[in-house]
Amino acid sequence: GAVVSQHPSWVICKSGTSVKIECRSLDFQATTMFWYRQFPKQSLMLMATSNEGSKATYEQGVEKDKFLINHASLTLSTLTVTSAHPEDSSFYICSVGTGYYEQYFGPGTRLTVT
Amino acid sequence: DQQVKQNSPSLSVQEGRISILNCDYTNSMFDYFLWYKKYPAEGPTFLISISSIKDKNEDGRFTVFLNKSAKHLSLHIVPSQPGDSAVYFCAASGNNAGNMLTFGGGTRLMVKP
């Protein structure tokens, strides 16, 4: 599988500010990465598919101008939550697609917006 | 409309016994199924998968069974251990889905010593 890291693991920010979350594929050249969010006691909801060198594909209902995704290299994708609000508080998880069906997940980032 | 469902939100099992987690799906285009294990505040960990051309796949204590006609799969853990206590998600994908996974709602397994 692929080893995936995320940074930071936990972040608190004030309402109205922006937060950037990094997702790194440590041992695999990832042309495709995925971003999910998970609310407490709920399933993982796919937000967007991040493609290296091209624009991300967002799921229905996800605001692309609010959740900016950049996949500038084969090992790094970033998710920026712009003008964060308390309702954006969630657990954000990225994953790496290895070209087959399996995805390998990062450890997640807990975002709290106050 | 939930395409992948895990109807049991929780399951409690005694250590050493078998744990059976169930998952149902509705989309007949799904042809690959996966199980992930997740601890709180961590990302999911891949456990085991099965292709639709098979009806069983085994890896150590974990076995996944697929019943295509019933659109049902199950994960068997035997013997169950306290360290298996976690939330288990089943996921499904199809060859036309661009490697996207559709997740079920998860089942919280508690293995009691």
Side-chain angles (χ1 to χ4, degrees):
Chain A
V3 180
V4 183
S5 70
Q6 279 184 245
H7 178 79
S9 57
W10 183 42
V11 58
I12 302 175
C13 72
K14 292 186 177 180
S15 186
T17 61
S18 295
V19 174
K20 179 185 285 187
I21 302 170
E22 293 184 349
C23 176
R24 293 186 183 272
S25 176
L26 301 182
D27 60 353
F28 185 82
Q29 304 278 291
T31 56
T32 303
M33 292 184 176
F34 302 88
W35 286 96
Y36 295 81
R37 66 187 296 182
Q38 184 188 26
F39 291 105
K41 297 185 178 181
Q42 294 189 23
S43 187
L44 286 78
M45 291 185 58
L46 179 65
M47 298 175 66
T49 302
S50 169
N51 301 296
E52 188 266 337
S54 64
K55 292 183 179 180
T57 303
Y58 291 82
E59 294 301 298
Q60 191 174 10
V62 178
E63 299 175 59
K64 62 181 180 181
D65 294 329
K66 179 170 185 60
F67 298 99
L68 301 179
I69 292 173
N70 185 286
H71 191 162
S73 78
L74 291 173
T75 58
L76 175 64
S77 176
T78 61
L79 168 67
T80 301
V81 183
T82 62
S83 187
H85 289 104
E87 56 265 31
D88 299 325
S89 298
S90 188
F91 192 60
Y92 292 87
I93 313 172
C94 70
S95 71
V96 165
T98 57
Y100 198 55
Y101 292 104
E102 286 84 2
Q103 290 179 24
Y104 293 89
F105 288 81
T109 297
R110 169 75 59 196
L111 170 63
T112 301
V113 184
T114 61
Chain B
D1 178 38
Q2 273 189 294
Q3 298 187 66
V4 180
K5 291 183 180 180
Q6 293 175 254
N7 290 317
S8 298
S10 65
L11 173 68
S12 183
V13 171
Q14 202 68 35
E15 180 180 7
R17 305 296 291 269
I18 185 171
S19 296
I20 300 176
L21 298 103
N22 294 302
C23 180
D24 297 292
Y25 63 97
T26 58
N27 190 340
S28 58
M29 298 300 291
F30 289 144
D31 61 1
Y32 200 81
F33 304 89
L34 308 90
W35 283 95
Y36 285 87
K37 174 182 180 180
K38 185 181 183 300
Y39 293 115
E42 294 185 13
T45 302
F46 171 71
L47 271 179
I48 192 169
S49 61
I50 188 167
S51 165
S52 60
I53 62 173
K54 295 184 176 182
D55 55 16
K56 176 182 175 181
N57 187 27
E58 189 173 354
D59 183 3
R61 296 186 299 115
F62 303 93
T63 303
V64 56
F65 295 91
L66 175 62
N67 184 332
K68 282 183 63 179
S69 62
K71 293 189 175 68
H72 176 83
L73 64 154
S74 61
L75 173 68
H76 292 209
I77 306 173
V78 57
S80 301
Q81 300 172 354
D84 296 330
S85 298
V87 177
Y88 289 78
F89 291 97
C90 70
S93 186
N95 58 12
N96 63 345
N99 292 334
M100 287 173 54
L101 297 178
T102 301
F103 282 86
T107 296
R108 181 175 302 277
L109 173 65
M110 293 164 285
V111 180
K112 298 180 178 179

